[in-house]
Amino acid sequence: MIARRLGLISAAGLERIVAESRSGFDQVPWDSPEQEAAMRELLDRDVALAEGQPVSPKSR
């Protein structure tokens, strides 16, 4: 998001990053279901920010 705000990547570039992040996430060999859940929460938070959705203060 910082790179986008600074004009270093386009909106389309940010969309590609989000898509690749979601796709790559499913390929990670997680050590535990808890680890995967914690990282998914972070990914979901970052995707929501990238898509301009409101994010709760807890997940910031």
Side-chain angles (χ1 to χ4, degrees), residues 9-51:
I9 61 171
S10 65
L14 182 58
E15 288 176 20
R16 284 193 301 277
I17 291 168
V18 167
E20 289 295 322
S21 296
R22 285 180 167 162
S23 175
F25 186 89
D26 294 330
Q27 305 305 313
V28 174
W30 301 104
D31 291 333
S32 69
E34 295 81 14
Q35 181 189 38
E36 180 179 3
M39 294 302 102
R40 184 171 298 279
E41 186 175 321
L42 292 175
L43 176 64
D44 290 346
R45 178 205 60 195
D46 291 348
V47 168
L49 287 170
E51 293 176 345

